[in-house]
């Protein structure tokens, strides 16, 4: 069984920043990432609000963060974590491929996009239904598509999708947007965009691929079809905290509760990034969390005589 001082679950900006700090502190560190290092930024075409990079692709930033952490000695493995428990003061982390021991664990597993939960959504996933504009936008050149949601993600991605699509409908369940003002202005000034207010998607229909969505106006209860070949859903986020919630205290939305040190309700377990509630789910916030969690985890190991 491999032993580490610190195991970090998740290789997004929070996890990779934590790995960098731990590795630079000469703590034997393992990052366990189930897909590919980078997390959600892999779905972001262009990042302009990460200090030091006036414009960088999500993929390139992810690769740089991974190389940076590796350069200082962090070990990064592509394995899915299945279980974590405490055993005689140590943390035991079971993955699809092995079992690892650590003095402390940092949970930085982020989360997943929320599903609408309507008929046709699952069936037509990848056939017009998408949660990733960057991945799938280019498939909809000159086509008519819909984006669902009214937050920063929906509005930002609707603007991005106008690069490809001929027409973008933004479907929002209220008559005002949650997104920040500057994004709203950009959206509303874009001639390719039409906002459908006070409306929800009731069905996504199509024989082999998306052909239309059925909308319901929540004020009039009137149903109307909208012919689209793609539906991009951006209605929020579900944190990946389920795996660990047996003993961990979560808030009412399922995010892991932490204190200012990123300590969770379980001793020696820290949380960083989108797995805990953020006012703004930004790369910078995730990095900041990762750094704090790493420093706090190191202090914990010292205090317990584990390092
Ligand atoms: P969000 O801010 O929670 O917005 C979710 C949107 O989806 C809301 O407009 C909500 O409507 C709507 N919605 C929720 N459930 C729905 C349902 N079942 N049917 C229809 N609509 C539904 O989520 P987000 O946009 O993913 O953003 C999450 C966080 O990340 C935010 O803090 C945001 O600032 C941040 N973020 C920032 C950027 C950026 O700065 N560029 C980009 C993306 C995300 P209501 O408004 O009616 O509740």
């Amino acid at each position: 069984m491999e032993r580490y001082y610190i195991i970090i679950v998740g290789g997004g900006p929070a996890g990779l920043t934590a790995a960098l700090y731990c590795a630079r502190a000469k703590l034997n560190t393992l990052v366990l990432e189930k897909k590919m290092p980078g997390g959600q930024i892999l779905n972001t075409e262009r990042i302009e609000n990460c200090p030091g990079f006036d414009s960088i692709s999500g993929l390139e930033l992810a690769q740089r963060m991974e190389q940076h952490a590796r350069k200082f000695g962090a070990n990064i493995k592509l394995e899915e974590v299945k279980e974590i428990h405490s055993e005689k003061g140590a943390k035991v982390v079971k993955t699809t491929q092995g079992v690892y021991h650590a003095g402390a664990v940092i949970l930085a597993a982020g989360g997943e996009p929320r599903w609408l939960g309507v008929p046709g959504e699952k069936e037509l996933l990848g056939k017009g239904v998408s949660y990733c504009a960057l991945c799938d936008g280019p498939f909809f050149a000159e086509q008519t598509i819909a984006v669902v949601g009214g937050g920063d993600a929906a509005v930002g991605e609707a603007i991005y999708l106008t690069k490809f699509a001929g027409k973008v409908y933004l479907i929002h369940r209220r008559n005002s947007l949650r997104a920040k003002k500057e994004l709203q202005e950009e959206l509303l000034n874009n001639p390719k965009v039409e906002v459908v207010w006070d409306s929800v998607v009731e069905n996504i229909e199509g024989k082999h691929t998306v052909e239309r969505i059925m909308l319901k106006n929540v004020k009039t209860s009137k149903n109307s079809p909208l012919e689209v070949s793609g539906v991009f859903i951006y209605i929020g986020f579900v944190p990946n905290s389920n795996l660990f919630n047996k003993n961990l205290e979560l808030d009412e939305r399922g995010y892991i509760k932490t204190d200012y040190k990123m300590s969770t309700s379980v001793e020696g377990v820290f949380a960083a990034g989108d797995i805990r509630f953020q006012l703004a789910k930004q790369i910078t916030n995730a990095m900041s969390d990762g750094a704090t969690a790493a420093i706090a985890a190191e202090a914990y190991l010292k205090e317990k005589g584990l390092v």
Side-chain angles (χ1 to χ4, degrees):
M1 186 186 308
E2 290 178 37
R3 287 175 191 277
Y4 292 86
Y5 284 126
I6 297 186
I7 290 179
I8 297 162
V9 182
L16 291 174
T17 304
L20 170 64
Y21 274 69
C22 292
R24 278 194 83 231
K26 306 223 175 301
L27 298 169
N28 188 16
T29 302
L30 172 65
V31 178
L32 293 165
E33 161 60 48
K34 76 172 168 185
K35 289 182 195 146
M36 178 180 170
Q40 292 175 83
I41 64 170
L42 294 172
N43 297 334
T44 308
E45 189 212 29
R46 202 123 289 279
I47 293 162
E48 296 181 340
N49 55 7
C50 185
F53 299 97
D54 55 8
S55 178
I56 187 167
S57 76
L59 177 64
E60 190 184 347
L61 184 59
Q63 288 169 341
R64 284 181 183 228
M65 290 193 297
E66 179 188 354
Q67 284 158 12
H68 197 168
R70 284 193 192 276
K71 181 181 158 190
F72 285 96
N75 191 357
I76 300 173
K77 295 190 181 201
L78 298 186
E79 294 182 25
E80 185 176 354
V81 173
K82 289 297 193 191
E83 190 196 313
I84 301 173
H85 67 268
S86 300
E87 209 173 275
K88 294 180 198 148
K91 308 294 167 214
V92 180
V93 180
K94 289 188 182 165
T95 73
T96 39
Q97 273 121 296
V99 181
Y100 305 94
H101 267 202
V105 168
I106 298 174
L107 303 174
E112 308 281 347
R114 176 172 290 123
W115 287 56
L116 272 175
V118 299
E121 186 179 19
K122 253 188 205 154
E123 296 79 353
L124 293 167
L125 178 62
K127 298 169 186 158
V129 173
S130 173
Y131 303 85
C132 179
L134 177 72
C135 320
D136 301 328
F139 298 129
F140 296 90
E142 298 312 320
Q143 298 180 38
T144 298
I145 59 172
V147 174
V148 186
D152 285 336
V155 172
E157 299 308 317
I159 294 166
Y160 170 69
L161 285 163
T162 60
K163 278 173 121 188
F164 311 102
K167 169 116 193 168
V168 177
Y169 288 100
L170 184 93
I171 317 296
H172 185 41
R173 63 185 179 182
R174 293 187 294 126
N175 63 1
S176 67
L177 297 167
R178 184 182 290 275
K180 55 173 98 68
K181 271 272 167 309
E182 55 271 31
L183 279 177
Q184 290 195 30
E185 274 168 25
E186 198 180 337
L187 180 92
L188 298 171
N189 287 326
N190 190 312
K192 283 190 176 179
V193 175
E194 185 175 333
V195 181
V196 182
W197 302 104
D198 299 315
S199 297
V200 292
V201 176
E202 290 216 305
N203 269 306
I204 302 174
E205 298 174 357
K207 206 163 178 199
H208 303 293
T209 58
V210 171
E211 293 168 21
R212 78 191 69 76
I213 51 180
M214 287 303 295
L215 298 179
K216 180 182 167 189
N217 183 300
V218 294
K219 288 198 169 147
T220 62
S221 291
K222 203 180 142 213
N223 287 98
S224 55
L226 185 66
E227 305 294 320
V228 293
S229 50
V231 194
F232 288 81
I233 299 161
Y234 286 101
I235 59 163
F237 192 78
V238 182
N240 282 329
S241 53
N242 283 350
L243 184 59
F244 321 106
N245 71 3
K246 282 172 217 136
N247 302 308
L248 283 180
E249 227 179 288
L250 306 182
D251 73 11
E252 64 286 358
R253 289 161 293 214
Y255 289 94
I256 295 176
K257 283 189 180 177
T258 62
D259 64 9
Y260 74 102
K261 292 186 196 168
M262 306 296 140
S263 306
T264 69
S265 57
V266 176
E267 197 180 85
V269 177
F270 301 80
D274 289 351
I275 202 162
R276 67 181 208 103
F277 184 72
Q278 305 281 346
L279 174 62
K281 288 187 174 60
Q282 297 293 290
I283 295 164
T284 44
N285 294 51
M287 289 175 164
S288 163
D289 276 13
T292 304
I295 291 164
E298 183 186 10
Y300 166 81
L301 292 178
K302 281 185 180 152
E303 185 192 308
K304 295 285 167 190
L306 295 169
V307 67

